């Protein structure tokens, strides 16, 4: 009888990893490219059955799944390529230390030192009248982009149109944006169940938040340096009885567009 992957003493040539909820598929030779690194040790000195796995049998590491893409790029090419205005060098250096990649950690430390010097020089040239939010927008660490927040709501209007409308609770707040931006702003309050395993450089219109308070979403966006640039709303009467004495039920869809 053939052994299962968990019972086998050797790792497959193609390895599936779950790093903090992000799924990566790579070659065994890639993740063992740096001798004495943590991944090299795990995948050369252990057997598949010794490593933790998720519910689908993928090898699991409880680390930052977004930043792991740069760890994997380094293992492939032994080079450090970061996007312009990358603001998480120190966090990536921490990941490099965890995965025991001293050369990558050294390079990140050197880049962070140069960036700190540039930031200090820029701060000296900044006008004292410049607001902190303006500085956030121009910070080299803040990647630009758009996030659209949407929600569907319903409300009733009675026969007395002068009376206040009766609003119902917002059922779900949706998030449309680049994957990396959505995760940066909303973190673990983001529900990815409708569009799982999406790479961070792709876009989605299917994420939604685990809470239903718009102000809570707006606070997070403001803290991340985003400003509202547009909004729109539509409303339709979804139920209207022939009885003029009954309330009319209206549904609406509203979107707020934020930019940084």
């Amino acid at each position: 009888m053939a052994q299962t992957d968990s019972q086998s003493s050797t790792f497959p040539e193609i390895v599936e990893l779950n790093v903090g909820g992000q799924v990566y598929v790579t070659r065994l030779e890639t993740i063992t490219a740096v001798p004495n690194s943590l991944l090299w040790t795990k995948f050369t000195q252990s057997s598949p059955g010794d490593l933790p796995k998720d519910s689908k049998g993928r090898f699991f590491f409880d680390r930052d799944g977004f930043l792991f893409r740069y760890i994997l790029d380094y293992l492939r090419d032994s080079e450090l390529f970061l996007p312009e205005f990358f603001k998480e060098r120190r966090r990536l250096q921490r990941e490099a230390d965890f995965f025991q990649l001293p050369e990558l950690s050294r390079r990140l430390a050197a880049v962070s030192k140069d960036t700190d010097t540039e930031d200090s020089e820029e701060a000296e040239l900044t006008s004292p009248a410049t607001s902190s939010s303006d500085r956030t927008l121009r910070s080299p660490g803040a990647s630009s982009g758009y996030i659209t927040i949407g929600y569907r709501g319903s409300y009733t209007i009675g026969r007395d149109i002068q009376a206040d409308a009766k609003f119902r609770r917002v059922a779900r707040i949706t998030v449309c944006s680049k994957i990396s931006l959505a995760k940066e702003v909303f973190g673990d309050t983001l529900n990815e169940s409708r569009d799982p395993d999406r790479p961070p450089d792709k876009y989605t219109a299917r994420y939604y938040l685990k809470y239903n308070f718009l102000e809570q979403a707006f606070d997070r966006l403001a803290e991340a340096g985003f400003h509202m640039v547009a909004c729109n709303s539509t409303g339709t009467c979804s139920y209207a009885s022939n009885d003029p004495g009954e309330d009319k039920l209206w549904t609406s869809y509203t979107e707020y567009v934020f930019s940084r």
Side-chain angles (χ1 to χ4, degrees):
M1 182 176 179
Q3 290 180 313
T4 64
D5 288 341
S6 60
Q7 295 172 330
S8 174
S9 60
T10 59
F11 289 93
E13 180 182 356
I14 304 299
V15 179
E16 293 188 24
L17 305 174
N18 178 343
V19 183
Q22 292 293 316
V23 175
Y24 293 88
V25 181
T26 186
R27 302 179 71 88
L28 180 63
E29 63 181 359
T30 297
I31 57 178
T32 58
V34 178
N36 300 317
S37 66
L38 183 138
L39 290 173
W40 180 89
T41 301
K42 294 287 187 183
F43 287 90
T44 63
Q45 308 301 306
S46 305
S47 64
D50 297 331
L51 304 186
K53 299 180 182 66
D54 66 10
S55 59
K56 295 185 178 179
R58 296 174 291 215
F59 298 107
F60 179 75
F61 290 87
D62 189 15
R63 302 301 298 181
D64 191 312
F66 170 69
L67 294 178
F68 185 74
R69 63 181 298 198
Y70 303 109
I71 299 292
L72 199 56
D73 284 345
Y74 174 78
L75 293 175
R76 291 190 182 107
D77 305 316
S78 298
E79 294 289 343
L80 176 62
F81 295 106
L82 298 177
E84 188 178 7
F85 304 135
F86 184 73
K87 72 173 186 178
E88 297 189 279
R89 290 183 178 87
R90 289 188 178 87
R91 292 184 62 185
L92 182 55
Q93 183 181 353
R94 183 177 62 188
E95 296 303 299
D97 290 337
F98 173 83
F99 286 105
Q100 300 172 16
L101 299 168
E103 177 60 21
L104 176 58
S105 180
R106 183 191 65 78
R107 295 186 193 183
L108 287 166
V111 172
S112 296
K113 183 178 180 180
D114 292 341
T115 303
D116 290 342
T117 302
E118 293 173 1
D119 289 346
S120 299
E121 293 173 352
E122 181 180 352
E124 293 175 0
L125 296 174
T126 301
S127 168
T130 303
S131 68
S132 59
S133 60
D134 289 339
R135 287 197 296 270
T136 300
L137 286 175
R138 291 199 297 269
S139 169
S143 57
S144 60
Y146 291 88
I147 293 180
T148 299
I149 299 297
Y151 76 93
R152 297 186 184 278
S154 61
Y155 54 95
T156 57
I157 299 179
R159 57 181 175 177
D160 182 3
I161 61 175
Q162 301 300 322
D164 291 339
K166 300 176 182 178
F167 288 90
R168 298 187 180 183
R169 183 174 63 92
V170 175
R172 178 173 292 175
I173 301 174
T174 60
V175 178
C176 309
S177 74
K178 195 173 185 177
I179 302 295
S180 56
L181 276 182
K183 291 185 176 182
E184 175 199 338
V185 174
F186 298 109
D188 58 4
T189 67
L190 196 67
N191 193 319
E192 308 170 39
S193 60
R194 295 177 61 199
D195 202 359
D197 302 339
R198 294 278 288 172
D201 59 336
K202 301 298 183 181
Y203 291 81
T204 183
R206 296 174 59 83
Y207 283 176
Y208 61 94
L209 301 179
K210 296 178 180 178
Y211 49 82
N212 48 30
F213 296 100
L214 284 170
E215 293 77 11
Q216 192 172 348
F218 293 168
D219 284 344
R220 281 182 169 263
L221 286 159
E223 291 168 0
F226 282 81
H227 291 269
M228 187 188 300
V229 295
C231 66
N232 66 81
S233 182
T234 61
T236 58
C237 184
S238 60
Y239 171 75
S241 171
N242 292 327
D243 184 352
E246 289 192 18
D247 293 347
K248 293 182 178 180
L249 178 62
W250 291 74
T251 59
S252 65
Y253 178 71
T254 304
E255 285 187 341
Y256 301 93
V257 181
F258 291 82
S259 174
R260 182 176 67 185

